[in-house]
Amino acid sequence: MTVFADNRPLLDAFRRGDRAALATVYHHYVDDIAAVIRHGFSIPTSGIRVRGAADEQTERDLVQDVFVRAFGVRARDSYDGVRPYGPYLRRIAKNLLIDRARAVDPTIPLDDADGELVIEPEARENDGAWNEQRRATTDFIAALAPELQRLVKLRFEEEMTQDQTAEALGVSRRRVRTLEARIQRGLRKALRRAGLWQKNRPEPALARMGSR
Amino acid sequence: MTERSRLLAGRRGLSRPEKEAILERVLAQVAPRSRWRRRVAIGALALSAATAGAVLLVPGAPRDELTARGGELPPGFDATCVPAPCATGSKLVFDVTSTGGAAYFAAFARGADRMIWYFPSSPAGQSRSLPQGGGVLDTGITLGAEHAPGTYTIHGVFSTAPLDRAAVRTLVDEGGATVTRQVTIR
């Protein structure tokens, strides 16, 4: 169901460009859009599979592009509040991926962005590097003080905001910010010590599925 | 290299800090917050927390600087311990040197790792009223174990209507109207 269903005030605030309304809409859809950007999709009619973002930075950049396009003044004004908003965002995401893929292979059709979303593990998902880094991270977390372990659980695993985390821990938001930065610095050191701190190689943006 | 916040979350998708950072960049492009809008937002927040007619009083020049003749001094306060120096068992006393026309006062301390509320004294409370013309507040704060040794910044917020903690905190975090004093506890 679209986030605007039975919520006229949210739609009005969204159209005005109210930051809180934009944030509400963003958080409602961001995971779904990130999944499209991450996993890519297939175009059954042409047998082409458009891969998702090759690396995390590209993933973040593309997710940002989707919402910048969707939240622009003209796009907000032209949205009627009735059409499902999720598919609209997905289409923007798919078109962005197609544009990137066409830079590699211009034969990919421009107007076929209605392909099905492919949710299946890709090479990036299966590589051993993640498992190795995650194991080192688990060891790192286990060695943290209880307060820091709790912060990791609330802020990262449970995805609380800094304010919510601060309230749950009974400390200030500034303290949460400080501890969060300290944890990330500590993890970087731990990964470096384990020889796991290096850059990933980018992967091609396109793969073909069978013959055309 | 995998983003560290994803490793900490144990998931390969976008982490909460990443999502928040992306949102900030999106909003900066599609709905930038001007200084003028920010000030209006701060004012609106104070108004919403108060009854009609609430006004935040922004501190101006320190009171020991030249002030235009006939003009009202900006709001200010001193925080001192009795007995001095500040230590466990001392009483922290607030001396409002000028109300700047304010009727209410909120205050809290921020140390290296903690935040301690003075006024409002309870989570559901509101900022306390000021004596007309200022002066020493009748409510002192006895320093207990919660005041670990260290340096604290005491934030004071003056307003014409009572504010709750959330409003005060947001104002201070947004860089809004606040008078600060440093206190070192031994």
Side-chain angles (χ1 to χ4, degrees):
Chain A
M1 178 181 288
T2 179
V3 70
F4 300 107
D6 302 325
N7 196 341
R8 183 74 200 188
L10 177 64
L11 178 62
D12 291 342
F14 173 77
R15 282 181 174 151
R16 284 197 310 270
D18 178 272
R19 291 169 66 93
L22 294 172
T24 299
V25 176
Y26 168 84
H27 282 297
H28 189 83
Y29 292 107
V30 66
D31 287 332
D32 186 45
I33 295 309
V36 176
I37 296 293
R38 182 173 185 72
H39 296 285
F41 63 98
S42 62
I43 305 175
T45 52
S46 52
I48 288 178
R49 177 163 177 247
V50 179
R51 272 196 183 166
D55 55 70
E56 292 172 355
Q57 185 55 53
T58 307
E59 186 181 338
R60 286 188 288 268
D61 290 346
L62 288 174
V63 171
Q64 179 180 329
D65 282 353
V66 170
F67 284 96
V68 166
R69 290 177 187 216
F71 287 0
V73 177
R74 271 191 294 182
R76 292 199 312 263
D77 283 346
S78 61
Y79 179 59
D80 58 12
V82 176
R83 286 172 293 147
Y85 199 68
Y88 165 67
L89 291 174
R90 279 182 170 219
R91 189 171 179 88
I92 295 175
K94 288 174 180 176
N95 283 333
L96 282 173
L97 289 176
I98 284 181
D99 287 347
R100 285 176 55 79
R102 278 179 57 81
V104 178
D105 182 353
T107 64
I108 294 175
L110 279 172
D111 56 351
D112 202 359
D114 289 328
E116 294 171 359
L117 177 64
V118 177
I119 300 286
E120 61 185 40
E122 293 188 37
R124 182 154 73 95
E125 303 284 320
N126 288 332
D127 63 21
W130 163 264
N131 291 334
E132 221 175 340
Q133 290 166 9
R134 179 59 191 157
R135 266 196 300 276
T137 305
T138 306
D139 293 344
F140 167 77
I141 294 170
L144 290 173
E147 184 192 26
L148 298 182
Q149 286 186 10
R150 186 149 165 70
L151 189 147
V152 169
K153 184 171 176 50
L154 298 174
R155 177 78 175 130
F156 296 98
E157 292 179 25
E158 297 183 11
E159 299 203 346
M160 285 188 176
T161 63
Q162 285 187 335
D163 276 336
Q164 290 167 334
T165 307
E167 190 160 345
L169 293 177
V171 299
S172 66
R173 191 172 69 177
R174 182 177 294 185
R175 171 73 173 159
V176 169
R177 272 202 301 268
T178 303
L179 292 179
E180 200 176 308
R182 189 185 298 172
I183 288 168
Q184 297 231 20
R185 280 197 305 273
L187 177 57
R188 185 176 60 199
K189 285 181 187 169
L191 292 170
R192 189 175 285 150
R193 274 198 302 272
L196 299 171
W197 183 253
Q198 70 258 330
K199 297 280 182 193
N200 281 346
R201 280 181 307 176
E203 294 172 17
L206 174 72
R208 289 190 183 277
M209 294 169 58
S211 59
R212 296 183 68 186
Chain B
M1 183 63 221
T2 306
E3 161 67 33
R4 281 166 286 165
S5 57
R6 300 190 191 192
L7 290 168
L8 290 164
R11 287 186 295 274
R12 302 211 60 173
L14 289 178
S15 66
R16 179 75 197 201
E18 285 180 293
K19 290 180 211 171
E20 290 170 354
I22 292 169
L23 175 61
E24 279 308 307
R25 290 195 293 270
V26 170
L27 292 179
Q29 288 190 56
V30 302
R33 195 194 325 236
S34 67
R35 292 174 67 85
W36 179 82
R37 278 185 178 177
R38 186 164 151 265
R39 286 174 183 163
V40 169
I42 288 171
L45 179 65
L47 284 168
S48 69
T51 53
V55 175
L56 271 176
L57 297 156
V58 181
R63 67 191 175 101
D64 55 351
E65 288 185 18
L66 291 174
T67 304
R69 187 176 292 175
E72 191 165 42
L73 285 168
F77 73 97
D78 288 328
T80 52
C81 284
V82 181
C86 294
T88 301
S90 296
K91 185 167 272 193
L92 184 63
V93 176
F94 292 85
D95 182 5
V96 176
T97 53
S98 169
T99 65
Y104 293 89
F105 178 65
F108 64 89
R110 270 185 172 153
D113 65 346
R114 62 192 64 197
M115 178 177 181
I116 303 167
W117 280 99
Y118 300 135
F119 317 113
S121 56
S122 67
Q126 293 187 311
S127 46
R128 58 151 297 154
S129 58
L130 284 169
Q132 200 168 13
V136 176
L137 301 186
D138 55 9
T139 311
I141 308 294
T142 302
L143 303 182
E146 74 284 353
H147 285 83
T151 300
Y152 293 79
T153 300
I154 299 178
H155 296 259
V157 175
F158 293 82
S159 60
T160 57
L163 303 174
D164 63 21
R165 283 185 177 182
V168 172
R169 190 167 159 170
T170 304
L171 282 168
V172 173
D173 285 342
E174 292 275 356
T178 175
V179 182
T180 59
R181 294 288 179 266
Q182 297 278 330
V183 169
T184 298
I185 296 173
R186 297 184 178 177

